[in-house]
Amino acid sequence: MRGDRALESQFAALLRRHRTAAGLTQDELSTVSGISVQAISTLERGTRRYPQPATVKALAAALRLDKDQQAALVTAASRRGRTDRLPLEEPATSVVSPRQLPFASGDFTGRVQELAELSRYLIDSPGVSVTAITGMGGIGKTTLAIHVAHEVAEHFPDGQLYLDLRGFGLGPPLEPLEALTYLLEDLGETPAADLPTAAARFRTVLAERRLVLLLDNAADHEQVRQLLPGAGGCAAVVTSRRSMAGLGGRQYQLGEPPLHESIEMLRRISGRPDAPEDECAEVVRQCGGLPLAIRMAGARLASRPSWPVAHLADRLADGRRRLDELQLDDSGVRATLVLSIEQLAGSEDPIDVQAVSMFALLGLAECPDLTSALAASFSDSPEPEAEIVLERLVDVHLLTTPAPGVYRLHDLVRVAAREFAEQTLSRDDRRAVTTRWMQRISAVVWRASEYAGHGVTRERWLDQEWLKGADDLPTPEDVRGWLDAQRSGLVTTIQHAATEQPELAVRVAVGLMAYYAQRRAWLDWLQVNEAVLRLVSGGPDRVAEGLVLHDLGAAHAELDQYQQAVMPLRRAIEAADASGDGNLQALCLSSLSHVLDRTGRTADGIPYAERAREIGLRLGIPPRAAWACLALGMLYLKTGATEAAQRHFTEALDLLVEPGHERYRGMIAQNIGVSYREAGRYELAAASLQESLALYRQAGAAVQQAEVLNELGKLCLAQDHLDEAVAHQSEGLAIAGQHGDWLCEADIRKTLGEVRHLQGRLAEARREWRIALSIREQHNAHGTAELRELLGQPPVR
C-alpha cells in the first residue's frame, strides 16, 4: 500500500513538473489536451489513482513529451509501476467491465420487501431504469442500494459502476464534470474538457452496454441529471437525503423497517440471538427505528457483553444523552444528522439558509406534530413563508409530513434539533421564541372560550389583551380546527412552559376548559391542570388557584375518578372563599355536591348545593342559581324526596325564563330528563327531554339537539321501545354528521349498537361499536375501554 501511494505521488509530481516546464496553467493544459480541469487537478493532487492510458496519452501529447518522458509518465501511471499496459501509440481497444460495488455488509437484515420490489423493477425494465432511494440520514439508503445492486448484478453483464457524489459529507459535492471524468476513465474512455461533451460521450458508451450504475450520496437532482444513461439497458440507482422528484424515474422513499426486522438486526449485530424481545423492542423504540441507530446500539452491546439489553434501553431513555450513546468514534447518529444541516448551511439558496434557522427553532417545540402555524410563530414570519421552509426540511428528510399541513420530527432528529438550538440560540432567543408560541396558543384558547361562553368568573379574570393574535381565525370552526391540529402537543407544551413561562402556562391552562369540554379530552384537561397546580397553590391570585383546583377536580370526575375529585374541590372552595368571588364559590360548591353524590354520599352533598343556590340567588346570577337548583333536585330525587326534587327542578327552569337563556334552559331540562330516567320515572323523563329538544330547536343549538335525541333513544331503550329508540338515534346521527360533531356521533353509535344488539342484529351492533371505537381512538377521546369490552377486545395497556 505504501508503494502504491509513492507511485501515485510520483505521477502527480511528474505531471505537475511537465506542466510547469511547458509554461501551462491547468486551464490551458485542459484546452490543449481535451481533459477536464477537474481531472487534471485531481491527478496533480494524487487523489485519482491509475489514470486510463488514453488520458495519459492525451496529456503526454499536449505537453509534447519525448519518448523517455512518455515512458516515465506511463510507468508512474501503472498500477504496478511497470509498463505492462499497452504503449501510448496503441490505445486499448478492449471493453472495460468495471466491478466497483462496495462490500455488501454481512449483517444486513430485513428489507425483504424493498429488496424484492427494487430488484424486480431494475431487472424487468425494458430500457434504462432510474431509481432514486431517498430518506433521512441513517435510514439505510446506501446499504439497501448496494445490496440491490449485488442482487441484480448477474443480469447486467457489462459490470457495475459506483461513485460517491459527496453530496453530504466533508468537502464540496462532486461537480458533474468531475464525476463524469471519473466514470469515463473507469470505463476506459477519454474524459472531455466540458460538461456537454463529457455527458454525451458517457451516454454514448452506456448505450452499448448493460450495466448497473450506483450514484451514492447525491446532493440534488441537478448534480445527477447529466450522469444518467440516455438509452440502452442500464440500471441507475441514486441515493440521496434530498427529494429526487425532479429527476424522473422511480422515487422510492425509504422509511423505518418493521419492528421484527429491527429486532433481528439488533440481535445479529450485538451477537445476542436470544436477547429478550421486549427489551430489544424498547431499544429499537429509543432508536426511533432508525437502522443506523440500531446498528450503533448493537455495536455498543457487542463491545459490552456484561450489559443486559435492558441496561442500554435505560441509558437511551435519557433524551439528553441518547445521541452520545449512539456514537462510535467520529461516526454515529449525531454526525450523520449534522451532515444534513451542514449541507443546507453551505447552500447559496436563501430557503436552505432559512431551513437551518427553522430547524433550530423546531428543536424548541415540545410536541410530536408540528404545523406551519407553529413554525410561523416560532420564526416570527408569515405562515405561507414558514410552510415553504418546512417543505424544504421535508425535502432533505429532516421532517416528515404524515398529513397535509402536518409535520413531524423523528425522535432522534428532535434530540439533535434541540442540541442545535442550544448551541446556536442564546437563552434569551430561545425564551423569546417559546413566549411567542405560548402567546399564540393563549389567544386561540381564549377565543375558543369566548365562543363557548367564558362563564362569569373566567370573564372577569380574563385580560382582553390575551385575545389578540387570533384574528386570522374568524369562526368557531377555524378556532377549534387550529386547536385540534395542535392538541397532541398542548399538554407537553404547557408542562414545559410551567418552568420557563409560568404565567403563560397558567393563563393557557385556565382558558382550555371550554375546548377540552367540547372535545371531552378529560385526560388532557387533568394533565394540564396538574402541570400548573404548583404555580397557583398558595399564591396571591386565589381566583386562579380556585379555577385550577376546580378544573382538576372536574377532570377527575369526568374520568369517573370521583374519590380523587373530592380533595381538589374542597381546596377549590377554600380558595374561592378567600378570593371573595361568589360565582366561583357557587361553581365549586355545586361540583363538590355532584362528586359526593357519585361517591355514594348523596346526603352529604345537599348542604353544598344549598349554599351554592343561596349564593347564586344573592348575586343575581340566574344560570349559577339554576345549576345549583338542578343539583339539589338531583340529590333529593336520589334520596327519595320526590316533591322536593320536583320543586327545585321547577325553580331551576323558572330562573331562566328571560330571552337569551333558551340554550341554558335546554341543558337544565336535559339533565332533569336524564335524572328522571335514571330514577325510573319514565313519563317525567320523556316530558323533560321533549322540552329540552324544543328549547334547543328554538335556540338553534343543532348539536345539542343530537345529544338530547340520543337521550330520548336511551329512554326508549330502557322502556324496551326499540324501534322508537332507533328512530331517535338515527335522527340524532344525521344531525351530528351534518355538523361534524364526531364525539356526539360516537356516543349515538354506541347506544345504537346496544339497541341493535337487543334486536338480535348482532352484525349491525358490532359495526356501530367499531365505528364509535375508531372515532374515539382517532381523536384520543375518553370511553374506548367500554367499547372494547362490548366488542370483546382486550384493553390497551
Side-chain angles (χ1 to χ4, degrees):
M1 292 294 293
R2 188 175 300 172
D4 284 348
R5 285 196 294 270
L7 287 168
E8 290 160 16
S9 298
Q10 182 185 3
F11 179 83
L14 278 173
L15 178 58
R16 189 164 48 251
R17 186 189 313 154
H18 288 312
R19 178 179 60 77
T20 303
L24 299 174
T25 65
Q26 288 183 351
D27 286 336
E28 290 169 340
L29 179 56
S30 172
T31 301
V32 176
S33 66
I35 305 300
S36 69
V37 175
Q38 288 92 338
I40 294 171
S41 175
T42 301
L43 290 170
E44 289 193 0
R45 290 197 307 271
T47 56
R48 180 60 174 167
R49 298 181 298 172
Y50 320 127
Q52 295 293 330
T55 301
V56 179
K57 177 183 177 182
L59 290 170
L63 293 168
R64 299 183 178 181
L65 303 183
D66 60 30
K67 288 187 178 181
D68 291 338
Q69 291 171 326
Q70 290 180 18
L73 197 64
V74 170
T75 300
S78 171
R79 287 178 184 269
R80 300 178 179 82
R82 302 193 306 268
T83 55
D84 55 355
R85 291 189 173 194
L86 293 174
L88 292 176
E89 292 80 6
E90 300 176 20
T93 57
S94 61
V95 174
V96 177
S97 296
R99 297 290 187 270
Q100 297 182 344
L101 290 180
F103 170 69
S105 172
D107 57 19
F108 180 78
T109 304
R111 298 296 192 191
V112 176
Q113 180 178 344
E114 292 90 340
L115 272 171
E117 288 182 7
L118 289 169
S119 298
R120 186 167 56 252
Y121 176 74
L122 294 176
I123 293 168
D124 294 345
S125 295
V128 174
S129 61
V130 177
T131 298
I133 303 176
T134 61
M136 67 178 290
I139 201 70
K141 303 178 294 296
T142 297
T143 302
L144 175 61
I146 290 171
H147 276 78
V148 168
H150 278 289
E151 190 87 4
V152 303
E154 64 183 60
H155 297 275
F156 296 88
D158 295 324
Q160 309 98 39
L161 281 171
Y162 172 85
L163 186 60
D164 181 356
L165 297 176
R166 301 203 302 256
F168 296 81
L170 298 176
L174 285 181
E175 293 293 333
L177 181 55
E178 187 177 3
L180 285 168
T181 297
Y182 290 161
L183 294 170
L184 285 166
E185 285 198 338
D186 289 339
L187 290 169
E189 299 294 327
T190 304
D194 60 89
L195 181 58
T197 303
R201 188 171 298 173
F202 184 59
R203 290 194 295 270
T204 299
V205 174
L206 293 189
E208 301 171 357
R209 306 191 189 194
R210 183 169 173 80
L211 56 74
V212 177
L213 171 62
L214 176 47
L215 300 172
D216 191 23
N217 194 17
D220 52 40
H221 67 271
E222 292 295 341
Q223 184 191 29
V224 174
R225 190 181 301 281
Q226 297 285 8
L227 311 182
L228 297 177
C234 293
V237 181
V238 182
T239 72
S240 180
R241 299 187 189 190
R242 273 190 185 267
S243 169
M244 290 280 121
L247 196 62
R250 180 173 187 181
Q251 304 297 307
Y252 202 99
Q253 183 169 327
L254 194 60
E256 299 158 12
L259 178 61
H260 70 276
E261 290 187 1
S262 298
I263 291 174
E264 182 184 352
M265 178 182 178
L266 180 67
R267 284 171 168 167
R268 179 175 294 188
I269 294 172
S270 65
R272 306 182 189 201
D274 300 321
E277 183 172 342
D278 58 336
E279 295 179 14
C280 290
E282 181 59 21
V283 169
V284 169
R285 190 185 71 79
Q286 296 290 358
C287 291
L290 190 68
L292 174 62
I294 297 168
R295 184 173 295 280
M296 296 292 108
R300 201 161 184 80
L301 288 170
S303 65
R304 293 160 175 79
S306 63
W307 279 17
V309 176
H311 178 67
L312 178 60
D314 290 341
R315 293 174 69 93
L316 291 172
D318 183 350
R320 289 288 177 173
R321 70 176 189 180
R322 189 176 303 165
L323 294 184
D324 294 328
E325 297 290 338
L326 300 174
Q327 196 79 9
L328 294 177
D329 301 324
D330 60 348
S331 64
V333 178
R334 179 186 285 111
T336 298
L337 295 176
V338 165
L339 290 178
S340 296
I341 301 301
E342 290 179 343
Q343 205 265 359
L344 287 172
S347 171
E348 296 181 358
D349 187 336
I351 301 299
D352 286 348
V353 176
Q354 291 177 52
V356 174
S357 299
M358 182 69 78
F359 183 71
L361 298 176
L362 295 182
L364 304 175
E366 296 288 341
C367 51
D369 290 334
L370 312 165
T371 64
S372 53
L374 181 148
S377 179
F378 270 29
S379 60
D380 199 18
S381 62
E383 190 167 338
E385 181 179 314
E387 186 171 3
I388 291 172
V389 177
L390 290 172
E391 288 295 331
R392 182 58 53 86
L393 288 170
V394 172
D395 288 341
V396 296
H397 298 283
L398 287 171
L399 281 181
T400 60
T401 176
V406 179
Y407 302 90
R408 185 172 295 161
L409 282 167
H410 185 279
D411 288 346
L412 295 179
V413 176
R414 183 189 309 282
V415 176
R418 176 162 284 278
E419 285 186 358
F420 188 62
E422 291 172 349
Q423 293 164 3
T424 59
L425 301 175
S426 69
R427 179 178 177 83
D428 288 343
D429 287 341
R430 296 197 300 271
R431 183 179 177 84
V433 168
T434 53
T435 297
R436 284 199 300 270
W437 177 235
M438 285 297 295
Q439 288 171 338
R440 167 67 169 178
I441 293 174
S442 173
V444 182
V445 160
W446 282 100
R447 185 71 72 189
S449 178
E450 181 179 56
Y451 285 131
H454 299 302
V456 175
T457 296
R458 288 175 218 263
E459 179 76 47
R460 292 172 180 165
W461 188 74
L462 166 69
D463 185 334
Q464 291 297 318
E465 288 293 314
W466 300 349
L467 290 166
K468 293 181 179 179
D471 293 340
D472 58 322
L473 303 171
T475 69
E477 291 74 22
D478 293 329
V479 168
R480 285 193 294 269
W482 192 94
L483 288 171
D484 287 343
Q486 305 301 329
R487 180 184 157 189
S488 62
L490 280 176
V491 173
T492 307
T493 297
I494 293 170
Q495 288 170 338
H496 183 72
T499 301
E500 297 293 329
Q501 294 115 339
E503 291 184 8
L504 278 167
V506 172
R507 180 197 306 179
V508 174
V510 172
L512 272 167
M513 184 276 293
Y515 171 70
Y516 279 152
Q518 287 175 333
R519 292 300 185 236
R520 301 180 206 174
W522 309 127
L523 182 58
D524 289 0
W525 197 25
L526 179 73
Q527 292 173 330
V528 160
N529 285 289
E530 286 177 336
V532 302
L533 179 58
R534 64 178 177 81
L535 304 177
V536 296
S537 296
D541 191 342
R542 303 309 298 272
V543 171
E545 182 181 6
L547 286 170
V548 170
L549 284 164
H550 171 269
D551 292 353
L552 182 59
H556 275 302
E558 293 292 356
L559 290 166
D560 300 331
Q561 299 169 355
Y562 295 106
Q563 291 291 354
Q564 294 96 314
V566 173
M567 186 55 67
L569 288 172
R570 289 193 186 281
R571 290 178 58 194
I573 292 171
E574 293 174 5
D577 289 345
S579 74
D581 187 313
N583 181 73
L584 181 59
Q585 291 174 283
L587 171 67
C588 297
L589 289 163
S590 293
S591 295
L592 181 58
S593 71
H594 168 70
V595 166
L596 289 172
D597 171 44
R598 291 296 180 173
T599 60
R601 299 156 63 185
T602 303
D604 290 345
I606 291 175
Y608 293 102
E610 288 280 12
R611 187 179 166 205
R613 170 182 172 274
E614 183 272 325
I615 292 173
L617 291 173
R618 174 167 49 82
L619 294 177
I621 306 175
R624 182 58 58 217
W627 195 256
C629 289
L630 171 67
L632 276 170
M634 294 167 70
L635 292 168
Y636 280 122
L637 188 62
K638 285 194 173 183
T639 61
T642 306
E643 291 185 5
Q646 289 177 330
R647 184 172 66 253
H648 283 100
F649 285 154
T650 300
E651 182 182 7
L653 291 169
D654 289 345
L655 283 167
L656 300 170
V657 294
E658 294 294 324
H661 283 155
E662 290 81 8
R663 185 190 298 258
Y664 207 96
R665 199 163 187 259
M667 291 174 61
I668 297 291
Q670 180 180 340
N671 279 276
I672 293 171
V674 171
S675 297
Y676 278 137
R677 187 188 70 219
E678 291 177 348
R681 307 293 297 273
Y682 295 146
E683 289 186 8
L684 291 172
S688 293
L689 291 174
Q690 289 292 350
E691 181 182 5
S692 171
L693 183 60
L695 287 163
Y696 283 146
R697 285 173 174 163
Q698 184 180 351
V703 173
Q704 284 76 16
Q705 292 176 48
E707 291 174 356
V708 80
L709 283 165
N710 189 35
E711 298 297 346
L712 282 166
K714 291 179 182 179
L715 174 62
C716 293
L717 174 61
Q719 296 173 291
D720 204 28
H721 299 162
L722 302 185
D723 290 339
E724 291 181 43
V726 171
H728 286 308
Q729 288 157 349
S730 297
E731 184 182 354
L733 195 60
I735 293 173
Q738 179 183 355
H739 292 273
D741 192 306
W742 42 266
L743 272 172
C744 185
E745 178 186 348
D747 288 347
I748 295 174
R749 288 189 182 279
K750 174 182 174 293
T751 312
L752 185 55
E754 294 170 3
V755 176
R756 292 304 190 192
H757 189 268
L758 286 175
Q759 289 178 322
R761 300 164 70 166
L762 303 185
E764 292 181 43
R766 293 184 63 81
R767 175 181 176 274
E768 298 296 344
W769 289 335
R770 279 196 300 270
I771 295 174
L773 177 61
S774 174
I775 291 171
R776 290 191 176 181
E777 287 182 334
Q778 179 183 353
H779 296 281
N780 194 27
H782 182 58
T784 57
E786 186 178 3
L787 285 162
R788 286 184 173 278
E789 185 177 351
L790 288 169
L791 288 164
Q793 297 180 4
V796 176
R797 299 188 182 278

